[in-house]
Amino acid sequence: MSHSPAAAMHPDPAAHGVAPMAEYIAPIWARQLEAIQATLHSGSVELLSNFASIFELQDQLHCKFAELPPDSAHTEALHQIDTDLQAQCERALHGLQFADRLSQMVDILHKNIERFSAELPHMNTAGEAERQAWAAAFEASFTTEEQHLFHHGKPPPPRQDNVEYF
């Protein structure tokens, strides 16, 4: 690149504008999404490992409760605590599905940003048809109802306590 006064007065138009800016920024976004996904994965693995340990302890506790005499005054209360503990652990474990959901959503967005970055240099004549096709292809990659709603600017439905597998 020349540092002459003429070059400074007439900068290369290809080095300015939306396309070079997006080509520079989109990979930064992609790297941030990768970092989010790595952190999410690491945290999820740790939580699942901790839950496995809790379930092992809960199983040991359950076995000890089974050894108590059936007519003990505290046996029924201890069995109820055991049952409640198991139910709470299972609910918490089901709640961890958020990690899978977020990981999928981040991965879809990351792939779309990579595709956008790769195709950006060829988009200088893109019009409405190309924008609509891009949005439709992006939406087709979604795995959750809320992604479709957000795509169209709609709020998600109120949270329900059921488990959604995908």
Side-chain angles (χ1 to χ4, degrees), residues 86-151:
Q86 184 172 356
Q88 287 291 9
C89 286
E90 287 174 5
R91 277 194 289 268
L93 194 57
H94 285 219
L96 284 177
Q97 80 171 5
F98 84 91
D100 285 336
R101 170 178 262 142
L102 287 177
S103 182
Q104 286 181 3
M105 293 169 84
V106 166
D107 187 52
I108 289 166
L109 184 57
H110 182 254
K111 287 177 181 172
N112 195 261
I113 288 173
E114 284 181 336
R115 180 176 162 230
F116 183 79
S117 293
E119 294 183 23
L120 184 63
H122 313 289
M123 290 184 187
N124 36 343
T125 60
E128 181 61 25
E130 289 83 4
R131 287 190 294 273
Q132 293 298 324
W134 188 281
F138 187 36
E139 184 175 16
S141 67
F142 297 159
T143 58
T144 67
E145 178 185 350
E146 62 227 311
Q147 285 174 296
H148 290 282
L149 292 171
F150 287 134
H151 185 78

Side-chain angles (χ1 to χ4, degrees), residues 65-81:
F65 288 156
E67 295 173 5
L68 292 175
D71 58 348
S72 169
H74 301 292
T75 301
E76 185 61 37
L78 291 174
H79 280 292
Q80 186 60 48
I81 290 170

Side-chain angles (χ1 to χ4, degrees), residues 19-64:
M21 179 65 136
E23 288 173 356
Y24 181 78
I25 296 297
I28 294 171
W29 290 339
R31 289 190 300 271
Q32 291 297 318
L33 288 171
E34 286 175 10
I36 291 168
Q37 197 163 25
T39 302
L40 180 62
H41 177 73
S42 174
S44 297
V45 167
E46 184 177 338
L47 278 171
L48 289 172
S49 174
N50 290 334
F51 269 110
S53 296
I54 290 170
F55 279 125
E56 284 180 31
L57 291 171
Q58 199 270 333
D59 286 344
Q60 292 174 17
L61 188 62
H62 184 75
C63 289
K64 293 295 181 188

